[in-house]
Amino acid sequence: MIGYSFMGAAHSQAWRTVNRVYELPARVRMAQICGRDAAKVAEAADRLGWDTHTTDWRALVASDDIDVVDICTPGDSHAEIALAALAAGKHVICEKPLANTVEEARAMTAAAATAGASGVRSMCGFNYRRVPAVALMRQLVAEGRLGTIRHVRATYLQDWIVDPQFPLVWRLQKDKAGSGALGDIGAHIIDLTQFVTGQRITGVSAVTETFVKERPLPGASSGLAAEVDGTATATGTVTVDDAAIFVARLDDGALATYEATRFATGRKNALRVEINGSLGSVVFDLERLNELEFYDASRPATEQGFTRILVTEAEHPYMAAWWPPGHIIGYEHSFTHEMRDFVEAVANGVDPTPSFADALQVQLVLDAVTRSADLGSRWTDVEPALAALAV
Ligand SMILES: NC(=O)c1ccc[n+]([C@@H]2O[C@H](COP(=O)([O-])OP(=O)(O)OC[C@H]3O[C@@H](n4cnc5c(N)ncnc54)[C@H](O)[C@@H]3O)[C@@H](O)[C@H]2O)c1
């Protein structure tokens, strides 16, 4: 694993747990963790349960006793690490968004295809696909229970940078993060809605905004937290969007709206998706992660209404291995499910999803959103991923 902070901790938790919960065809050994600070990575290895640690990701990637490389760093290093790992014949799991640019994502996808020909697997970490209620949503759509999908309504709202004194952490710098709310949380709802509906976004019209353009330079930071140094006078320019809002068309005729923002005061990590079809609707709200609301329009008029399904039955996706019905799970479990699917795919010699090609398609949507916003919300088609690969 490269990176030991927010996602490093979340993935470590999943790697520690996955063999204890699921019967898998392979056993995970947490071999080595990498970070840039020797003392901090040593402490992280101990705390998170890794056998050894290093400050040199190239040495880790070249290591003979490592089969899988898990990339938990900011986007500016995803491409370089993934390309080196795939070239060294390692299976790769890479956090989202796949890269900072379409060009990088394209190179990663091409490398994954080449490596895939000799059985090397790769996957991008869109973990929300693995929330049981989201997987159930997809099943209901695939079984035709919603009929023809007409509307997708997706919001992902946070508020961690509302304070203009919150420092200029890497997530607010384009060269490190690629984009702001758009690529960080917008990418999740793009992937999630395409996964659930089985439809791809074909075109967008977008607005983006950077509300606070200058911020104090940061002290120590990780994940969504940073030390605020009240005495610091130096500031830097925010080079990413604080918020991105767009309308979209999906390739089977649905209309969609997306809102991703870090300025929704009071909203901490509020991901909500509603899908309306000709035969029914479903609603998922991450703050009620164990539940799915389902409106089945085929029921008698006297019984119609949204049903709250508690997605904790053994028959529900991923749930059989956990607790008795009604004994709920949380955020971290989505990562355990991610690692379960990844390990199964690698051990069984099949390609896990979402593939790098799937993640490249998300990157192409992010790119279309940015270009549309730059052109005063002009309608912008999303470049087809396969055509992009052929370039
Ligand atoms: N799936 C999710 O829900 C989710 C949530 C948060 C972040 N992410 C993604 O995970 C990735 C990491 O985000 P985070 O929140 O964990 O960031 P973070 O700031 O908490 O941690 C980043 C880690 O990467 C290390 N690092 C940075 N550059 C490095 C390099 N060149 N070599 C070695 N280590 C390096 C840092 O030291 C740190 O340990 C990003 O791509 C982000 O978009 C995904």
Side-chain angles (χ1 to χ4, degrees):
M1 170 178 289
I2 332 266
Y4 52 78
S5 200
F6 180 18
M7 277 309 102
H11 286 213
S12 295
Q13 169 83 347
W15 289 123
R16 281 196 308 271
T17 310
V18 71
N19 282 117
R20 295 163 205 247
V21 176
Y22 291 103
E23 290 279 337
L24 291 177
R27 217 172 161 75
V28 174
R29 186 170 62 82
M30 295 169 66
Q32 189 168 96
I33 188 165
C34 172
R36 292 163 301 176
D37 181 303
K40 285 187 185 163
V41 76
E43 182 279 323
D46 184 46
R47 178 169 42 86
L48 299 175
W50 295 86
D51 291 349
T52 59
H53 51 86
T54 177
T55 54
D56 182 358
W57 66 258
R58 286 184 179 79
L60 179 151
V61 160
S63 220
D64 282 342
D65 72 336
I66 285 175
D67 302 309
V68 172
V69 173
D70 183 357
I71 304 173
C72 293
T73 57
D76 61 339
S77 52
H78 288 185
E80 194 183 13
I81 299 171
L83 292 177
L86 289 168
K90 312 299 184 192
H91 308 290
V92 174
I93 203 168
C94 180
E95 257 305 339
K96 49 50 63 180
L98 186 62
N100 279 359
T101 64
V102 166
E103 203 183 359
E104 288 170 347
R106 205 178 268 158
M108 293 166 79
T109 305
T114 305
S118 34
V120 174
R121 314 287 165 192
S122 44
M123 177 171 126
C124 187
F126 283 108
N127 60 302
Y128 291 126
R129 286 181 173 215
R130 266 86 190 192
V131 172
V134 172
L136 178 62
M137 240 174 152
R138 176 177 153 99
Q139 273 180 19
L140 290 170
V141 173
E143 287 163 5
R145 301 290 299 278
L146 265 65
T148 305
I149 305 299
R150 303 294 190 204
H151 288 293
V152 171
R153 213 165 286 113
T155 52
Y156 199 160
L157 315 175
Q158 298 183 338
D159 74 350
W160 56 281
I161 56 170
V162 163
D163 179 356
Q165 290 308 307
F166 188 90
L168 190 71
V169 295
W170 70 262
R171 276 185 163 80
L172 307 184
Q173 301 168 36
K174 189 173 181 281
D175 60 332
K176 305 241 172 20
S179 66
L182 175 62
D184 190 14
I185 50 179
H188 271 301
I189 45 177
I190 292 167
D191 180 72
L192 192 159
T193 52
Q194 294 191 132
F195 170 72
V196 166
T197 60
Q199 297 189 38
R200 296 244 155 148
I201 297 172
T202 56
V204 298
S205 171
V207 286
T208 59
E209 185 56 76
T210 305
F211 299 114
V212 176
K213 295 181 171 58
E214 288 283 319
R215 288 182 179 273
L217 297 179
S221 69
S222 82
L224 304 186
E227 283 172 17
V228 182
D229 177 357
T231 62
T233 49
T235 63
T237 303
V238 177
T239 46
V240 299
D241 58 283
D242 288 335
I245 300 177
F246 59 100
V247 294
R249 284 189 181 277
L250 275 63
D251 61 9
D252 207 21
L255 298 183
T257 62
Y258 294 84
E259 181 179 7
T261 179
R262 295 163 168 169
F263 272 75
T265 307
R267 300 293 178 194
K268 303 303 167 187
N269 195 43
L271 187 170
R272 185 179 186 279
V273 172
E274 174 164 327
I275 296 173
N276 309 129
S278 54
L279 299 178
S281 293
V282 281
V283 185
F284 171 72
D285 180 344
L286 184 65
E287 292 178 358
R288 306 173 75 102
L289 170 153
N290 291 273
E291 300 173 17
L292 187 65
E293 280 189 79
F294 178 36
Y295 184 97
D296 181 354
S298 70
R299 286 169 60 175
T302 49
E303 294 171 16
Q304 276 183 11
F306 276 91
T307 301
R308 183 186 73 113
I309 301 171
L310 192 59
V311 190
T312 57
E313 299 293 324
E315 291 78 7
H316 286 135
Y318 300 105
M319 288 307 293
W322 291 107
W323 317 115
H327 293 67
I328 55 179
I329 61 165
Y331 173 70
E332 69 189 52
H333 298 73
S334 63
F335 295 99
T336 311
H337 302 160
E338 183 178 315
M339 301 325 168
R340 181 201 83 165
D341 291 347
F342 184 77
V343 170
E344 272 189 348
V346 167
N348 293 331
V350 297
D351 288 321
T353 55
S355 65
F356 278 17
D358 295 328
L360 165 63
Q361 191 272 339
V362 172
Q363 205 83 38
L364 288 164
V365 176
L366 300 177
D367 181 64
V369 169
T370 304
R371 287 187 289 122
S372 169
D374 288 347
L375 293 170
S377 309
R378 192 166 86 184
W379 187 261
T380 303
D381 288 336
V382 175
E383 195 182 337
L386 286 178
L389 258 185
V391 170

